[in-house]
Amino acid sequence: MPAIVGAVQVVNISSSGTFNIGDVYRIEPYSATKTYAGAGSFNTGDFIRTTTTNNQTQVLDSDVADMNQLLNV
């Protein structure tokens, strides 16, 4: 079904961002990254209180590939 879109103003799109207007069949990433972080690392807000004891971040990864990006060109 066709989409009807009014006025759009795009201020900024990051290098890994996606901008779409209207109908889309498929959106696929062009890159994949892996992030390691300990407990409570990605908390956001005004008044965050975390209690974390004995935190260990496991970074050992024995896989050869986690996400294949071969066909995303």
Side-chain angles (χ1 to χ4, degrees), residues 32-36 59-69:
T33 60
K34 184 176 286 189
T35 304
Y36 298 104
V59 297
L60 177 63
D61 186 13
S62 60
D63 296 345
V64 174
D66 291 325
M67 178 183 243
N68 190 0
Q69 296 292 319

Side-chain angles (χ1 to χ4, degrees), residues 11-62:
V11 177
N12 187 15
I13 298 177
S14 68
S15 61
S16 62
T18 302
F19 178 72
N20 172 45
I21 293 180
D23 299 334
V24 171
Y25 173 69
R26 178 173 32 189
I27 297 176
E28 296 180 359
Y30 285 111
S31 66
T33 60
K34 184 176 286 189
T35 304
Y36 298 104
S41 296
F42 297 113
N43 291 331
T44 58
D46 292 332
F47 303 103
I48 300 294
R49 183 189 311 183
T50 61
T51 304
T52 305
T53 57
N54 299 332
N55 179 23
Q56 291 183 351
T57 302
Q58 302 295 330
V59 297
L60 177 63
D61 186 13
S62 60

